[in-house]
Amino acid sequence: MKEVLSRVGIGSATVDTVLPTTTLTAGESVDAEVHVEGGSTDQEVDAIYFALLTRYETDDSTRTGVVDKFRVADPFTIEAGERRTFAVTIDVPRDTPVTVGRTNVWLETGLDIDWAVDPDDEDPLQVAPGPRLATVFDALESLGFTVRTAECEAAPGGLFSGSFVQEIEFVPRSGPFSGRLDELEVVPRPTADSLEVGLEVDRRGGLLSEMSDLDERLTRLRFTDESADEVERRLREEIETHA
């Protein structure tokens, strides 16, 4: 009976990932421990799996987006009541969404057990931007912009690859664009050696232009290893061109 119950999750093994911190930086690696505790009966575990997840909006629903997923550990048996600890290294992809605005990111850990409900564990994360994106954020702040909101959305065709992107909405509270722009929408896309940034410049316009979206201008910049001053200069010139 215990074996039957464990297959539907009653008295099954449990799993818990212990991170040194829940604040991570996109592009970094972090060492963690996975604690597995046996249930009321022995169980065969094929693997420990991880998924880094977020939510993104489509035109008609909210979906769970997979930033990354991977498996660790060889198959093993967790005996009833046994406790085992596994040391793992978790790589946080450089394109992990930053947890600002309405963006949530969490780590799901699970045990792959045949013919049973897989036990799992969820850990909410705070994700800070990688160095290049942090420089862009600092430059926009210097230009008088502040973050109003952010969320992940289904990727618009032709802008970037992938099923979803993060859109971060800034508003000019001061500086050279205050009173000239309604908002600036930023879509970052880090790669191994650069950062692509899609910009949507939403100019202040009359009712007609607002209704027809004529006040919006799309552009894109690519950054590699420019200085903070150079990043700010390029952003200012590009926004100025479309303001």
Side-chain angles (χ1 to χ4, degrees), residues 31 40 44 51 53 57 71 99 105 118 120-121 141 153 169 187-189 201 212 214 225 229-230 238:
D31 293 328
S40 57
E44 300 294 327
L53 306 170
E57 302 292 329
R71 298 161 70 91
T99 50
V105 175
D118 289 348
D120 59 29
D121 170 52
E141 184 178 358
E153 299 183 357
E169 187 178 296
V187 177
R189 196 65 165 179
V201 182
S212 58
L214 295 176
D225 297 314
D229 288 343
E230 177 66 8
E238 193 69 20

Side-chain angles (χ1 to χ4, degrees), residues 19-36:
L19 297 161
T21 175
T22 56
T23 300
L24 308 177
T25 299
E28 74 168 9
S29 297
V30 60
D31 293 328
E33 289 186 346
V34 180
H35 298 167
V36 180

Side-chain angles (χ1 to χ4, degrees), residues 179-184 200-206 209-210 213-217 239-243:
R180 298 173 58 195
L181 301 181
D182 282 337
E183 63 187 25
L184 176 71
E200 184 175 287
V201 182
D202 191 350
R203 304 178 301 174
R204 286 187 180 274
S209 61
E210 292 279 357
D213 290 336
L214 295 176
D215 57 324
E216 296 178 354
R217 296 293 183 271
I239 297 170
E240 188 72 50
T241 298
H242 299 280

Side-chain angles (χ1 to χ4, degrees), residues 20 24 28 53 56 58 67 83 94 106 114 121 124 136 144 154 159 168 174-175 178 188 193 196 199 215 219 233:
L24 308 177
E28 74 168 9
L53 306 170
Y56 68 96
T58 68
V67 181
R83 295 183 179 181
R94 60 179 60 89
W106 67 97
D114 280 346
D121 170 52
V136 169
L159 181 60
I168 306 167
S174 61
S178 178
D193 56 2
E196 294 183 15
L199 300 175
D215 57 324
T219 186
R233 182 193 66 79

Side-chain angles (χ1 to χ4, degrees), residues 21-30 52 90-99 105 125-134 190:
T21 175
T22 56
T23 300
L24 308 177
T25 299
E28 74 168 9
S29 297
V30 60
L52 196 62
I90 298 171
D91 298 323
V92 184
R94 60 179 60 89
D95 59 349
T96 303
V98 180
T99 50
V105 175
L125 302 176
Q126 296 295 315
V127 180
R132 291 190 180 102
L133 184 55

Side-chain angles (χ1 to χ4, degrees), residues 43-110:
Q43 290 182 288
E44 300 294 327
V45 181
D46 290 337
I48 301 171
Y49 64 83
F50 294 89
L52 196 62
L53 306 170
T54 188
R55 291 186 178 87
Y56 68 96
E57 302 292 329
T58 68
D59 289 338
D60 54 9
S61 66
T62 299
R63 300 182 182 179
T64 297
V66 178
V67 181
D68 192 23
K69 58 183 178 181
F70 60 98
R71 298 161 70 91
V72 299
D74 294 326
F76 63 95
T77 300
I78 185 71
E79 297 178 357
E82 180 188 7
R83 295 183 179 181
R84 297 185 63 172
T85 298
F86 297 83
V88 299
T89 298
I90 298 171
D91 298 323
V92 184
R94 60 179 60 89
D95 59 349
T96 303
V98 180
T99 50
V100 294
R102 292 179 287 181
T103 304
N104 296 315
V105 175
W106 67 97
L107 178 70
E108 180 180 281
T109 309

Side-chain angles (χ1 to χ4, degrees), residues 118-188:
D118 289 348
D120 59 29
D121 170 52
E122 291 187 359
D123 294 281
L125 302 176
Q126 296 295 315
V127 180
R132 291 190 180 102
L133 184 55
T135 300
V136 169
F137 282 4
D138 290 343
L140 290 173
E141 184 178 358
S142 295
L143 292 172
F145 290 93
T146 59
V147 175
R148 176 158 62 188
T149 188
E151 64 181 2
C152 293
E153 299 183 357
L159 181 60
F160 290 115
S161 61
S163 58
F164 62 90
V165 295
Q166 185 177 30
E167 184 177 86
I168 306 167
E169 187 178 296
F170 291 82
V171 290
R173 302 295 188 190
S174 61
F177 301 105
S178 178
R180 298 173 58 195
L181 301 181
D182 282 337
E183 63 187 25
L184 176 71
E185 295 178 355
V186 175
V187 177

